[in-house]
Amino acid sequence: MAREPRYDILFEPLRIGPVTARNRFYQVPHCIGMGHAYPRSAAALRGVKAEGGWAVVCTEECEIHPTGDIAPNIEQRLWDDGDIPMHAAMTDAVHAHGALAGIELAHSGHHAPNLYSRLIPLAPSHLPYDGYEPVQARAMDKEDIRNLRRWHREAALRAKKAGFDIVYVYAGHDLTLPMHFISRRTNDRSDEYGGSLENRVRLFRELIEETKEAIGDRCAIAVRFAVDELLGADGITAENEGREVVEMLAELPDLWDVNISDWANDSTTSRFAPEGSQEKYVAFVKKLTTKPVVGVGRFTSPDTMVAQIKRGVLDFIGAARPSIADPFLPKKIEEGRPEDIRECIGCNICVTGDLTMTPIRCTQNPTMGEEHRRGWHPEAIAPKGSEDGVLIVGAGPAGLEAARALGARGYGVALAEASAELGGRVAQECRLPGLAEWARVADYRVSQIEKMTNVEVYRASRLSVADVLEFAPDRVVLALGARWRRDGIGRRHHEPIPGSEGENIYTPDDALDGAAPAGPVLVYDDDHYYMGGVLAEKLKAQGAEVVLATPAPDASHWTHNTMEQSRIQARLLEMGVEIVPLHKLAAIGLGEVELECVYTGKRTKRPAASVFLVTARLPEDALYHELMAAPEALRDAGIASVDRIGDCLAPGTIAAAVYSGHLYARELDAGSNLEVPFKVERHALQ
Ligand code: ADP
Ligand code: SF4
């Protein structure tokens, strides 16, 4: 199929200094939790993006020197020539598919605790490390600044040697030295690098000029700059200093990659910001420079992309998350099938890989991060290895993904779902406040399955053991999901919470089924991901008095890893939800509960007419156990295997359920490896 002419503009080649991008799709630098630790994995991941049609594919940030060592975070390194080969593997993989390779050189200043290198961090002023490590950076003297400039120049030369086409000077977010110099908050110098904005920009300017001078003959020099920190007068804003910096340096770099700071503002979840939300901050940049401008906005709609270009906001459509959820997004538009795009849902599970110092994963794209170690490709999958017919019971994320992937392999699949609606938990949870985009997990899969003649879908079909035996498929896969516990057992409680057998007890499943009990309501969150917080928000919006109690230090504690926690807590507080952290739910009575301080054990009573327990879930696996208890009946029916996937096997994230369904489909005839089920990257002893 040919692409629609209205999208032609997205496929125009565009010059960036000495190089030319084949189209306007630009994968901006983004973390993948692989970096120097898993270079083959990183190269394969970036190569797949190039294959998917992105014109530019960049690395994550790349440390230029061990004084800017951000271990235990795993980013790239170009400390010396020894690091060049791992980068060459990435540029080769990207070039093999006709894309340009970009690298984001960085020195993280007082954001680098140097826990590995044990060197003293560097900063414009004497500053503590910006996390909680008991580390302090020293103020750089003139020699330090000269050294930094030399390290940057040398790293740029190595980047050129490694084959990069675009080399960044990075002042995006508030994470690197050029930004620390620019910012009044972190620069109290009185020399020519401090004081006036012109002085504070001096280092950034020097780095751009010197990088250009060193490698500008063959490489384009890009800058990444955060034009607004969303800190009002305390920070850089698009109205004042952000704008002035762009004015001062307008024609100096070959490309402006502009965003907002910090990372949590730049990669906001869909719960808190829609597609294209950065436009109001970055739109001015193109008016001040003739150089191409790239920006991000979790763009997944080609019409929105075209509008960004036609309205003169951006020249390149920048993407991190949309390229993670669908590395083939450009190709699908080019081939006239934009409806096949696997749209990012804005959940930030991808970010959790980096923040937990592990390789990236994605809710929508189960192959993300598995390109090298499992050899998975986002679009290609082996044809079926047998004529087996597969019955999948349950059409949540796990069942839908198994059906889609098995269908793509050519298997005959029957998918039975008890409800009239497909999607399981996402069909329900997408009705919670702010989670509407999560419906895309089901939408993408349902739309793909509908095109397949070898996948039959049976809605409103709750299957019993007798139904399964009567259906008599070769293989049965149970994707029946899980239900929230009603007894309070979870991370902190290993026995039922006293009083949890009462009638005033509710679970998130009750809320999703429409229960709206009288207040005051206590939401007890011992789960720590989104559900407790989003439930409190929903109940408060329905008019109840709501207290959120949790043994954790703050609401929805694990969402620090999705960079949402402070927004969640702020929203709850603004709505009038009282948050009681660091307390266990000791007992539930009639009309009241007893909370217990996790440190002192001191108990306090609070009124609560209804209690929502958000603690843990139990698999819905009765059907599995009943089937397994009837081996003869299975044999008579010719059923060769019965497996569980997703929450039915072990309750987890939606990402884990999708992955589980995908893994089942990949391994149906290949057999699973119960030893080490993937390639392990090991470093040769030097
Ligand atoms: P997962 O996240 O593992 O995909 P979900 O809870 O989202 O799990 O989905 C499980 C789905 O299974 C739900 O849509 C539920 O209605 C369906 N289901 C549960 N039991 C049966 C059954 N016996 N027959 C058909 N569908 C079922
Ligand atoms: Fe988008 Fe979520 Fe995938 Fe990240 S993990 S790319 S936010 S769908």
Side-chain angles (χ1 to χ4, degrees):
M1 247 190 297
R3 68 168 180 254
E4 299 200 31
R6 71 177 191 278
Y7 301 142
D8 284 354
I9 194 169
L10 299 172
F11 294 91
E12 290 170 352
L14 219 60
R15 277 196 78 75
I16 312 172
V19 299
T20 301
R22 61 182 162 185
N23 61 39
R24 294 179 187 263
F25 292 94
Y26 192 115
Q27 183 244 274
V28 295
H30 73 77
C31 296
I32 52 175
M34 292 176 174
H36 60 82
Y38 308 102
R40 286 184 190 82
S41 300
L45 184 160
R46 305 292 184 189
V48 164
K49 303 268 198 98
E51 187 188 348
W54 299 86
V56 178
V57 178
C58 298
T59 63
E60 61 273 64
E61 68 172 279
C62 174
E63 299 166 1
I64 59 169
H65 191 264
T67 49
D69 147 42
I70 62 170
N73 289 91
I74 310 168
E75 310 299 328
Q76 291 290 358
R77 286 179 182 157
L78 256 182
W79 289 358
D80 61 24
D81 287 358
D83 288 324
I84 292 176
M86 70 177 170
H87 289 282
M90 182 276 196
T91 58
D92 284 349
V94 168
H95 291 156
H97 296 286
L100 301 173
I103 183 168
E104 186 180 57
L105 299 183
H107 191 297
S108 295
H110 70 288
H111 179 67
N114 291 350
L115 297 178
Y116 173 66
S117 70
R118 299 184 67 178
L119 299 173
I120 307 286
L122 301 171
S125 317
H126 289 290
L127 285 170
Y129 166 63
D130 69 358
Y132 291 100
E133 298 291 340
V135 171
Q136 197 164 314
R138 66 178 174 79
M140 293 166 77
D141 61 22
K142 292 288 174 51
E143 193 185 346
D144 294 321
I145 293 178
R146 276 193 297 277
N147 283 336
L148 175 82
R149 289 163 55 188
R150 180 169 54 77
W151 298 331
H152 200 280
R153 190 173 189 280
E154 287 167 358
L157 288 166
R158 287 185 199 110
K160 181 180 175 188
K161 228 185 237 176
F164 284 101
D165 310 285
I166 301 175
V167 175
Y168 271 74
V169 181
Y170 178 32
H173 309 116
D174 56 353
L175 302 177
T176 60
L177 270 177
M179 195 56 148
H180 301 155
F181 272 79
I182 292 170
S183 171
R184 280 172 278 121
R185 295 195 312 287
T186 45
N187 182 343
D188 66 3
R189 302 176 74 93
S190 53
D191 62 4
E192 68 269 33
Y193 289 94
S196 68
L197 182 62
E198 199 178 349
N199 281 356
R200 283 181 277 128
V201 170
R202 187 177 308 279
L203 178 67
F204 193 25
R205 178 194 290 280
E206 286 171 344
L207 293 177
I208 301 168
E209 284 170 349
E210 287 161 5
T211 309
K212 238 182 151 172
E213 186 269 319
I215 59 168
D217 56 330
R218 210 205 70 209
C219 303
I221 311 307
V223 298
R224 192 155 222 224
F225 176 59
V227 297
D228 205 305
E229 300 181 288
L230 307 198
L231 293 174
D234 288 343
I236 289 164
T237 69
E239 285 85 47
N240 54 41
E241 292 192 337
R243 184 185 186 92
E244 288 168 44
V245 171
V246 178
E247 268 166 0
M248 283 178 189
L249 305 176
E251 298 300 312
L252 198 53
D254 295 314
L255 173 130
W256 282 93
D257 177 345
V258 284
N259 63 356
I260 57 174
S261 177
D262 55 8
W263 188 15
N265 290 328
D266 190 16
S267 295
T268 313
T269 57
S270 58
R271 192 168 162 187
F272 294 97
E275 182 180 29
S277 63
Q278 296 200 21
E279 179 178 334
K280 56 181 174 288
Y281 302 104
V282 305
F284 75 88
V285 177
K286 247 189 81 60
K287 298 186 179 73
L288 299 181
T289 177
T290 64
K291 305 292 174 160
V293 175
V294 57
V296 293
R298 213 161 48 72
F299 297 117
T300 57
S301 150
D303 292 308
T304 307
M305 298 172 193
V306 168
Q308 290 281 312
I309 292 162
K310 288 210 164 148
R311 289 191 290 108
V313 182
L314 300 173
D315 297 296
F316 282 103
I317 301 303
R321 290 173 293 175
S323 76
I324 294 166
D326 197 338
F328 275 61
L329 181 150
K331 270 261 156 77
K332 289 176 181 176
I333 301 172
E334 190 172 24
E335 292 171 0
R337 48 186 190 103
E339 72 283 358
D340 286 342
I341 293 172
R342 201 168 37 242
E343 289 183 286
C344 167
I345 68 166
C347 62
N348 278 6
I349 282 291
C350 47
V351 173
T352 69
D354 190 59
L355 295 187
T356 57
M357 294 96 193
T358 49
I360 191 167
R361 63 219 54 211
C362 168
T363 299
Q364 276 285 56
N365 176 8
T367 68
M368 179 49 42
E370 303 291 353
E371 300 82 357
H372 167 72
R373 71 173 186 178
R374 282 194 188 264
W376 288 0
H377 188 278
E379 300 301 311
I381 191 162
K384 65 182 176 182
S386 75
E387 292 304 317
D388 285 353
V390 186
L391 170 66
I392 301 171
V393 192
L400 284 173
E401 174 60 16
R404 186 206 65 78
L406 285 171
R409 297 192 61 187
Y411 278 99
V413 177
L415 174 64
E417 164 55 48
S419 155
E421 192 180 16
L422 304 180
R425 63 185 284 195
V426 291
Q428 291 199 297
E429 292 179 15
C430 72
R431 295 185 191 114
L432 291 168
L435 303 189
E437 281 193 23
W438 291 21
R440 292 173 171 182
V441 174
D443 293 346
Y444 164 71
R445 293 175 170 80
V446 172
S447 70
Q448 295 297 302
I449 288 167
E450 277 169 356
K451 292 187 196 176
M452 296 173 177
T453 52
N454 54 328
V455 181
E456 292 287 339
V457 179
Y458 301 90
R459 295 170 191 248
S461 303
R462 177 175 293 281
L463 300 196
S464 63
V465 171
D467 296 328
V468 174
L469 294 174
E470 195 189 321
F471 201 92
D474 299 303
R475 292 169 184 279
V476 177
V477 193
L478 302 175
L480 309 170
R483 303 283 291 175
W484 288 92
R485 298 186 76 119
R486 205 170 277 280
D487 55 11
I489 288 177
R491 286 171 173 75
R492 287 276 181 161
H493 303 261
H494 301 290
E495 301 286 339
I497 295 175
S500 59
E501 66 289 346
E503 297 216 328
N504 53 344
I505 304 300
Y506 298 85
T507 71
D509 293 314
D510 299 325
L512 291 166
D513 289 341
V521 175
L522 179 94
V523 174
Y524 181 59
D525 185 5
D526 194 19
D527 169 65
H528 311 295
Y529 190 16
Y530 58 90
M531 185 54 83
V534 84
L535 196 58
E537 184 179 338
K538 175 184 160 74
L539 294 166
K540 182 70 192 171
Q542 287 170 351
E545 278 302 301
V546 180
V547 173
L548 174 75
T550 176
D554 44 26
S556 297
H557 185 67
W558 194 75
T559 63
H560 281 284
N561 293 310
T562 56
M563 304 194 301
E564 294 171 287
Q565 197 285 324
S566 63
R567 280 194 169 81
I568 291 172
Q569 185 124 354
R571 179 173 286 179
L572 292 175
L573 293 173
E574 278 159 12
M575 291 177 82
V577 173
E578 186 189 350
I579 298 171
V580 183
L582 300 170
H583 278 75
K584 293 203 301 186
L585 178 54
I588 305 164
L590 266 189
E592 67 175 21
V593 292
E594 260 190 290
L595 299 178
E596 182 183 301
C597 171
V598 296
Y599 293 117
T600 63
K602 185 173 170 232
R603 292 190 172 196
T604 40
K605 289 195 170 143
R606 292 191 157 254
S610 328
V611 175
F612 276 86
L613 295 176
V614 188
T615 59
R617 289 178 292 156
L618 285 173
E620 285 278 279
D621 54 4
L623 187 55
Y624 174 78
H625 292 295
E626 288 171 44
L627 285 168
M628 296 311 275
E632 281 149 31
L634 290 175
R635 205 176 46 234
D636 293 348
I639 296 174
S641 65
V642 180
D643 288 281
R644 293 162 292 176
I645 57 173
D647 293 328
C648 178
L649 181 60
T653 58
I654 297 167
V658 170
Y659 186 85
S660 170
H662 192 83
L663 183 65
Y664 177 86
R666 291 263 178 186
E667 292 187 336
L668 178 57
D669 40 55
S672 61
N673 173 356
L674 294 179
E675 304 310 317
V676 180
F678 42 74
K679 277 184 242 161
V680 178
E681 285 200 52
R682 293 193 171 87
H683 302 283
L685 289 176
Q686 291 166 347

